[in-house]
Structure formats: C-alpha cells, structure tokens
Amino acid sequence: MNILEVRHIQKNFGKHPVLNDLSFSVPEHSIFGLIGKNGAGKTTAMKMIMGFLKPTGGEIRVCGENVAYGNTATNRFIGYLPDVPEFYGYMSAKEYLMMCGRITGLKRLQTSKRIQELLPLVGLDGIKRRIHSFSRGMKQRLGIAQTLLNKPKLLICDEATSALDPKGRKEILDLLSVAADQTTVMFSTHILSDVERICDSIGLLHEGKLALHGKLSEIKNTYRKEAVRIETLNEAQARRLLEHLHALSFIQSVERSQNAVTVQLHDPQKNGLKIIDVLSDEQIPIMNYELLEPSLENVFLDVIK
Amino acid sequence: MNGFTAFLRKELLEHVRNYKVLILLSVSAIFGMMSPLTAKMMPDILANVKVEGMVLKVPEPTFIDAFVQFFNNFSQMGMAILLLVFGGLLSQDLAKGTLIIPLSKGLSRYTVILAKYAAALILWTLSYVLAITIHYGYTLYLFKPISVGHLFFSLFCLWLFGAFLLAVLLMASVITRGTYGGLFVTAAGLGILLICQTIFRMDTFNPLKLVSENVALLTGKAEFDQLLNIAWITGALILAALILAMAVFKKKSI
Amino acid sequence: MTHISDYLPFLIPIIALELILALSALIHILRHRSFRFGNMFIWIIIVLFFQIIGPIIYFTIGRGEDE
C-alpha cells in the first residue's frame, strides 16, 4: 500500500513555476529520500503534503485520504520535522513534548509514558534546561522525538541533517533508521551520502519534476558504468599503461590523471583479465585495481546535466 | 478540546515566563494604589506648586475623584500597556515559525485563535480585578463613601473595551505580516475611532465611549441606555473580529 | 494641612513594586545581554530612570530573543 501519493502537483510562486506536474508515491515501510539542489522545491512539496501551502493544481493523498489546504485531518497520520524546527524557548523538552502529545490527542498518562520512551531514544533524558539553551543537534533530536509521539504512519523530515556537523548528522540518520522499523520515512536532503546511507528508494527533484524515481539499488544498476580504475606507483608507469591500453579493441575510452588510469570497457569481468595480462606482460606494478561502483553523485550529475 | 487546553496551558506558561504576568499584575496593583492616593494628595501637591506667586485653591477631593484617577490611568496608560504587552500575541508565533510543529501535530487553526484570545483575556481580567480590588479598598479607607450609580456597569465598560482591543489585535495580527504588524493596525484603528469621536461626533456606536463615559456614569450624567447599546455592539464586534480572524487564519500560508 | 510624608505608608508599596519591576528588568539585562535594538547602557538607563514604563518597554520590545 502507498502511504503517500502525490499526483500531478503544480505550484507557482507568482508566475515562476516551482513544481511542474510532480507525481510520485511512497510505499509503506520504506525510507524515501527526496533529493534536489537547493531551491528545487523540496520544502515546497513537503509543506503542501502538510497542508501548509496550497497547490496550484493536482492532488495529494496520505493513507488514502485527500490532503485539504488549511486544517487538514491527514496530519494525524504524519510526524513532521521542518527544515529549521522552531520551538518555544521558554519550555523544557519535557514540557514541549507534553504539549505536543496533548495536542495530538493522547491522554496525559499515555503522553507521559511515551515521553519516557522517547527522551532516552533521542538522548535528551534528564535534561531539564529550557530549549533556548539547546544546541542545533539537540533541537533536531527534540524535533524527531516530537514527530514520533503519536506513532505516525509517515515521518516527514525536511533537510534534517543539513545544518549539522558530521557527528550530529550521524546521530540523526541513526535515529531515522531506528524509526523506520515502525513507520515510513520520507526525508529530503541535498547531501547525497546521507541518502546512500539510509534510503531504500529515492526521487530526484529537478526542474519541478521527478527526474528519477525508484529503488536505490535499481537506479544504481541502471546507471552502472562499466569502468575500472587502476593506480600505478608513479606517473611514468601510468603513461606506459595508457599507451598499451589504447591498443586493445574492447576498450571504449581511457583517461589518466597523475598515476591513476580510468578505463571504460565492455564486460569488465571478462575483459578485465586481459588488462591484468597487459599489466603482467609489461611488468607494471599497481597499487590499486577496482571496479567502479556508480556513486549517487555521478547519477545525480548525469541526470541533471 | 485536548488541543485547546494544551495550547491554552502553553499560552499561560508563555505569559508567566515572558514576564507578561509580572508586568500586568504589578502595573495593575500600582494603578490600584496610586489612583486614590493621587486624588487624595492632589490639593497638597498643588499647594506646593506656586503659579506666579498665587496659591491654587482646590476643593477637597471626593470619593468620585478617586475613580476619575482610576479611569484616567486605565483608559490611557492601561490600554497602551495592554497593547504593548500583547502586541506580539500571534505575530511572534507566526514570524518565528513556532506554530508549524503544533499545527503539524493536528492542532486546529481555530483553536490557536481561541486559545490565544482566552489566555490574553484571562490575564487582562485577573489584572483588572486585582486593580479594582486594591483601588476599592484604598478608596474606602481614604474617602467618605457616597452612593454612586452604575458602579459595576461603569467598571465593566472599561473591561469590555480591553477585551475589544485584544480581539482587534488578534484579527489585525492574522491579516498583517511581521512582528509588529498587528500592533500598528490596531493603533491605526484606535486612531480612526478617536477621529470619529472627536471630529465627526459619531457617538452612538463608538466603542471608545466605553472608556470616556465611566465617571459620567457614576455621577448620573451619562445616558445609561446608550452605553448599554454600545456595550452590546462592542460584544458583537468582538465576536465578529474573532470569527474573521479564524476564517482568514484558516486559509493563511504558514 | 497634611504633608506628603503623611502618606508614606501608602507610597511605600507603590515604590516597592516599581523597584521590583526595575530590578527584574535590570537582572534580565545583565543576564542575557542581547537586545532587539540599542545597547546595554541605554537599556539600563531606560529601565532605572523611567519608572514603570521603562521596564515594560524593555520586556515587551527591547529584550532580544532567547538564544
């Protein structure tokens, strides 16, 4: 079942179209990464799912129910973490979560119990300070605790890791992976390594549309380049290798930068052996030999070219 | 209902921790004590001020004079402070983006307006009642009580005007953007009411009469019926302002 | 003829309240030191020398965001 379905969404700010016929769906129990450059419309799309912005056209369904602009009942299924979450600085984390829990319809006892579970999970247990003294990472973790209060079916995190240092980013990503055991996560970012780390499917937002949409592993397979990278000990050897490789028929292209040679070839598993033959015949020692995996970054750059 | 109580609780906590309660309660207590005292001390104060060598003769102040001072203080300084204290009532929440998470948790937008109004009204009512209590105690002690007409209604009129001001402020904050937008629009609205009253003499419907006729009510010089009408009209205006605020806020991009 | 000093018992609570307002504003200024506009020196002057209205202005529009 699809938790979220976005159909033909259109959004103009003035005359400038931000989203243009955007459609995608997120199946249950997946971690969906929405990728795009800054200003591609990720936040706009998420705000429309929350009913905070009115789409110029199209429809959005959450758990099979239509999202209505303004007061939308579909928000009871969703936990939302905005890109820069703003809290009431004069409250403590516990007070804030208590307020959120009550708003979302939990009973006082249920909320207390849930807070007891969540505070240790996000590492804010026993912190009695007011929120205005929290660091960015702490606020982000409090933001995640807040989203999980009512055990949402869909967790939407907007740029949850962008403003954080590497340690803070890892903490948030780990939290999201844990959360994904019980819910569906949709998470936007422009940091590709974060997506590779936890997402199982992705959508690439480019020029108001999804330029790419599907399972991460499948996308990587489709964009697999058949390439090998060989590092020699010094530049002279690399230059020599380059000359010999040019002579081989199955090689599509060869490039050298300093002592590394990148080779594009057909059927690298079979023909790769022939390269190794060349290496041993010519007595060229190597430091490293690897089959190149397509990185999301390459795919990304390829698609938006 | 859960949402309303939770958000009302948050509003009240905000008023306490952001010093709004401290300000309003202490100012009310000061006004309550100061009004009768100023009235009582007026002859002595003026006796010390010599104008061109002449000593001003002032008649002995009365019970009514204490109320003159009280209404003066509250209708001018009091209302200004009320506006200042609650100026960011909704604007601040909107400008800082702090409403996004509560709204995403399913808080109804109507509830936001109603809870904010309720919290402000509770605080205004508490401060006003405190001021009246202190004022009345001091006045009874310092002056010989005389019987006055419509004392309760006169005090109620001023309270109602405060409630009106808060509703207008909330509505103005929904319509405008920025932290002080609501405050400016409300101030402008008051200016228009003032012009209507002083220049065009539009008296029959003007809520401003609720804060200008209080003493006249006590001495029986004001038309009770007309003021009662204005009180009803103001009540209707409060309701209208709140409904408009809710309707506009429902469709506001956050 | 009465003198202003005769009313002292009545004036003391008023002065006390004004002091409470001024002092809480002063403490807040010294502890937070962030303002929406103006600097610490100006706000200390305002809070201490403008009774009642000084602290109110500080708390309502002068003090900075809680950071």
Side-chain angles (χ1 to χ4, degrees):
Chain A
M1 190 186 117
N2 285 333
I3 288 288
L4 171 69
E5 277 178 53
V6 174
R7 290 182 196 150
H8 310 293
I9 282 295
Q10 187 103 22
K11 178 71 190 174
N12 302 338
F13 283 126
K15 283 201 170 149
H16 173 66
V18 177
L19 296 177
N20 184 15
D21 198 20
L22 174 69
S23 298
F24 64 92
S25 55
V26 178
E28 207 167 352
H29 290 301
S30 60
I31 307 187
F32 178 77
L34 186 64
I35 328 167
K37 289 187 289 193
N38 286 331
K42 300 181 297 266
T43 299
T44 308
M46 290 184 157
K47 282 191 167 179
M48 285 194 295
I49 297 169
M50 297 306 298
F52 292 158
L53 282 178
K54 194 185 176 77
T56 314
E59 65 165 355
I60 302 172
R61 299 175 84 82
V62 174
C63 295
E65 283 182 35
N66 242 323
V67 172
Y69 170 63
N71 276 334
T72 180
T74 47
N75 281 1
R76 70 183 189 278
F77 299 121
I78 307 179
Y80 174 63
L81 179 63
D83 45 357
V84 186
E86 293 289 350
F87 303 98
Y88 297 111
Y90 49 82
M91 285 180 159
S92 70
K94 213 175 198 168
E95 286 168 339
Y96 192 82
L97 291 177
M98 184 52 95
M99 176 192 79
C100 288
R102 301 285 287 155
I103 284 174
T104 202
L106 297 177
K107 296 265 185 307
R108 181 175 301 278
L109 272 173
Q110 283 175 302
T111 318
S112 295
K113 226 180 112 211
R114 196 80 184 112
I115 293 173
Q116 291 312 322
E117 295 164 13
L118 286 172
L119 282 179
L121 180 72
V122 298
L124 291 175
D125 205 18
I127 292 178
K128 297 209 161 54
R129 280 185 287 153
R130 305 237 171 114
I131 300 174
H132 63 75
S133 67
F134 277 22
S135 72
R136 233 175 230 205
M138 289 166 82
K139 281 186 183 169
Q140 210 68 259
R141 282 181 277 142
L142 174 61
I144 291 188
Q146 161 275 124
T147 60
L148 295 175
L149 269 173
N150 53 334
K151 303 192 173 166
K153 290 218 157 72
L154 174 62
L155 184 57
I156 298 185
C157 299
D158 192 359
E159 297 277 2
T161 54
S162 305
L164 300 178
D165 59 18
K167 182 169 168 282
R169 268 171 53 200
K170 187 181 176 314
E171 285 168 357
I172 298 293
L173 291 177
D174 290 348
L175 265 179
L176 289 182
S177 318
V178 172
D181 292 342
Q182 287 168 32
T183 177
T184 307
V185 180
M186 171 179 180
F187 137 81
S188 84
T189 184
H190 61 268
I191 303 173
L192 295 166
S193 60
D194 289 353
V195 175
E196 292 199 85
R197 207 133 103 196
I198 66 166
C199 292
D200 46 33
S201 62
I202 62 162
L204 172 57
L205 197 55
H206 182 57
E207 288 175 348
K209 279 185 187 158
L210 272 201
L212 207 60
H213 180 206
K215 286 221 178 314
L216 185 60
S217 51
E218 286 167 12
I219 287 175
K220 277 190 166 183
N221 257 329
T222 323
Y223 283 79
R224 186 176 297 284
K225 284 243 183 72
E226 311 205 304
V228 174
R229 188 165 176 278
I230 306 159
E231 270 177 62
T232 56
L233 295 181
N234 57 44
E235 275 201 54
Q237 293 163 346
R239 227 171 276 142
R240 205 143 54 84
L241 177 62
L242 194 72
E243 281 166 34
H244 287 285
L245 288 177
H246 268 306
L248 296 174
S249 61
F250 55 85
I251 302 276
Q252 288 172 304
S253 72
V254 197
E255 277 170 22
R256 184 189 66 87
S257 76
Q258 289 172 328
N259 62 336
V261 177
T262 308
V263 190
Q264 306 253 349
L265 71 171
H266 298 297
D267 204 353
Q269 263 152 22
K270 195 178 101 209
N271 293 326
L273 289 173
K274 292 179 184 163
I275 297 178
I276 292 175
D277 286 343
V278 172
L279 290 171
S280 78
D281 288 349
E282 299 300 324
Q283 292 289 299
I284 301 172
I286 57 166
M287 258 167 61
N288 191 16
Y289 178 97
E290 68 174 326
L291 272 174
L292 285 186
E293 277 286 316
S295 76
L296 202 49
E297 195 174 331
N298 290 338
V299 175
F300 182 78
L301 292 173
D302 228 47
V303 171
I304 65 170
K305 206 158 22 191
Chain B
M1 211 52 206
N2 255 347
F4 180 80
T5 42
F7 205 68
L8 180 68
R9 186 185 286 270
K10 169 254 155 191
E11 281 293 312
L12 292 174
L13 188 72
E14 176 169 336
H15 294 338
V16 172
R17 296 207 176 148
N18 283 348
Y19 305 90
K20 291 186 167 71
V21 172
L22 171 79
I23 292 174
L24 283 176
L25 290 187
S26 35
V27 167
S28 297
I30 290 174
F31 280 177
M33 291 188 267
M34 214 164 65
S35 308
L37 209 55
T38 324
K40 187 77 181 176
M41 286 163 62
M42 198 54 90
D44 295 323
I45 296 169
L46 292 178
N48 289 334
V49 182
K50 295 196 171 69
V51 185
E52 288 167 16
M54 276 171 37
V55 176
L56 290 172
K57 275 270 172 239
V58 183
E60 188 65 13
T62 64
F63 189 73
I64 294 286
D65 286 309
F67 279 92
V68 172
Q69 290 294 330
F70 181 81
F71 285 121
N72 261 345
N73 280 334
F74 257 100
S75 63
Q76 292 160 26
M77 263 285 260
M79 289 303 135
I81 291 172
L82 199 63
L83 273 184
L84 263 182
V85 166
F86 289 115
L89 187 57
L90 180 67
S91 314
Q92 212 141 45
D93 242 346
L94 282 176
K96 281 165 83 179
T98 37
L99 267 181
I100 289 184
I101 290 178
L103 287 179
S104 82
K105 296 248 69 99
L107 182 64
S108 145
R109 296 196 183 197
Y110 299 151
T111 306
V112 173
I113 301 286
L114 291 178
K116 278 188 179 286
Y117 189 66
L121 202 60
I122 287 172
L123 191 47
W124 160 230
T125 310
L126 279 181
S127 332
Y128 189 58
V129 168
L130 176 73
I132 291 174
T133 314
I134 294 176
H135 169 80
Y136 204 68
Y138 266 54
T139 308
L140 283 185
Y141 183 81
L142 290 171
F143 297 93
K144 200 172 130 255
I146 53 168
S147 89
V148 289
H150 304 304
L151 177 59
F152 180 80
F153 181 67
S154 174
L155 289 166
F156 169 79
C157 282
L158 200 136
W159 174 84
L160 188 64
F161 189 78
F164 170 69
L165 216 55
L166 292 173
V168 172
L169 186 67
L170 207 52
M171 182 192 71
S173 309
V174 173
I175 294 168
T176 56
R177 287 189 175 276
T179 321
Y180 296 112
L183 197 55
F184 288 139
V185 171
T186 311
L190 275 184
I192 292 171
L193 283 185
L194 204 61
I195 290 170
C196 288
Q197 193 185 33
T198 53
I199 298 178
F200 300 109
R201 302 257 155 235
M202 288 162 65
D203 271 351
T204 33
F205 305 106
N206 202 326
L208 266 187
K209 274 215 138 188
L210 293 177
V211 289
S212 57
E213 302 295 309
N214 310 71
V215 175
L217 265 173
L218 296 185
T219 52
K221 283 182 191 137
E223 292 173 49
F224 175 79
D225 290 341
Q226 191 197 33
L227 274 164
L228 190 63
N229 265 339
I230 293 180
W232 280 112
I233 290 168
T234 307
L237 285 175
I238 292 175
L239 216 59
L242 288 179
I243 290 171
L244 184 64
M246 288 195 282
V248 175
F249 190 55
K250 186 183 177 214
K251 291 296 173 196
K252 200 172 167 90
S253 292
I254 301 289
Chain C
M1 186 81 188
T2 47
H3 288 283
I4 289 179
S5 58
D6 294 344
Y7 298 113
L8 215 54
F10 295 100
L11 286 172
I12 286 171
I14 298 178
I15 295 167
L17 273 175
E18 288 179 359
L19 273 178
I20 288 174
L21 272 179
L23 283 180
S24 40
L26 184 68
I27 291 169
H28 195 275
I29 290 174
L30 293 175
R31 280 178 62 181
H32 292 78
R33 298 184 183 222
S34 74
F35 313 97
R36 219 166 284 171
F37 49 85
N39 57 35
M40 196 168 80
F41 180 72
I42 291 175
W43 281 115
I44 289 178
I45 299 286
I46 291 177
V47 158
L48 292 185
F49 289 89
F50 293 86
Q51 283 307 316
I52 307 179
I53 202 72
I56 292 175
I57 299 270
Y58 170 70
F59 277 127
T60 50
I61 57 179
R63 81 196 166 99
E65 304 296 323
D66 292 320
E67 294 276 4

